[in-house]
Amino acid sequence: MKRIVVLISGNGSNLQALIDSVAAGVLDVEIVAVVSNKADAYGLTRAQAAGIPTEILDLGEVLADGGSRDGFDVELAGMIASYQPDLIVLAGWMLILGEGFLDRFPDRAINLHPAMPGAFPGTDAIRRAHEAFQRGEIKRTGVMIHRVVPEVDAGPVVTMEPVPIFPEDSLEELEERVHLVEHNLIVAAVDLLLGDYED
Ligand code: GRF
């Protein structure tokens, strides 16, 4: 069975979508580890509840111990490599990964971005899309999953889906609609890249 490692920084609802799809037999992969850069990420609790091994590597602690940003990337890559993943899924991972990481896993990491390609890179993408809609600058938003490159929320697109915005939408309503699409699209992307349709 194909092996994935999931990287998170917080709530982990996208991780939960993957866990649920694996449990339901919809996604035929094994989540071999969940790695967080935050010790208090709720996604770690979700992973533990599903019996998935967890790891924590905190950038602040690495730097406080005299390490470098590149050293963090190299250490993270080594930690993940020990699980021999076929695919690394960044699902709400809030740090840029540099060459110390990507050199070890060229083309093997994907990231989820709650906006369309090229739109609203960085944090708060849904809020910024909501504001842009209210200013009449955009008509819709979306979700994309892309290969990870050393640039925030950029890289070759694996799959994407537009998400409508309605004039009466509150930010919370738009967030909920985007998250629902994310939860489906992340499962679809992993299936697209690792699914075995031979049998
Ligand atoms: C998602 O909206 C993801 O696209 C963004 O951060 C959020 C993480 O959500 N980068 P969760 O931790 O999976 O619940």
Side-chain angles (χ1 to χ4, degrees), residues 8-16 43 46 90-94 111-115 122-123 126 143-144 153 178-179 182-183:
I8 61 164
S9 299
N11 177 31
S13 65
N14 286 283
L15 165 67
Q16 190 69 55
R46 297 178 189 269
L90 278 59
W93 171 262
M94 302 303 281
N111 179 53
L112 172 69
H113 178 52
T123 55
I126 306 173
V143 173
M144 78 150 168
D153 297 324
V178 170
H179 289 320
E182 286 190 303
H183 297 163

Side-chain angles (χ1 to χ4, degrees), residues 72-93:
F72 171 86
D73 284 351
V74 170
E75 190 176 341
L76 180 70
M79 177 187 270
I80 293 171
S82 70
Y83 290 95
Q84 301 182 294
D86 296 291
L87 187 68
I88 300 156
V89 181
L90 278 59
W93 171 262

Side-chain angles (χ1 to χ4, degrees), residues 181-193:
V181 172
E182 286 190 303
H183 297 163
N184 287 326
L185 206 63
I186 196 159
V187 172
V190 172
D191 194 29
L192 183 70
L193 295 172

Side-chain angles (χ1 to χ4, degrees), residues 117-190:
F120 311 113
T123 55
D124 277 340
I126 306 173
R127 183 183 52 74
R128 287 185 287 141
H130 188 249
E131 289 169 359
F133 177 86
Q134 288 171 331
R135 290 194 298 266
E137 293 165 7
I138 58 169
K139 291 193 162 58
R140 62 181 188 175
T141 185
V143 173
M144 78 150 168
I145 295 181
H146 62 95
R147 303 273 180 186
V148 178
V149 297
E151 194 185 328
V152 183
D153 297 324
V157 175
V158 173
T159 182
M160 62 181 168
E161 188 173 323
V163 177
I165 310 178
F166 302 110
E168 64 275 19
D169 274 346
S170 65
L171 174 59
E172 292 69 29
E173 284 166 332
L174 181 61
E175 281 173 342
E176 192 178 333
R177 192 173 310 124
V178 170
H179 289 320
L180 274 176
V181 172
E182 286 190 303
H183 297 163
N184 287 326
L185 206 63
I186 196 159
V187 172
V190 172

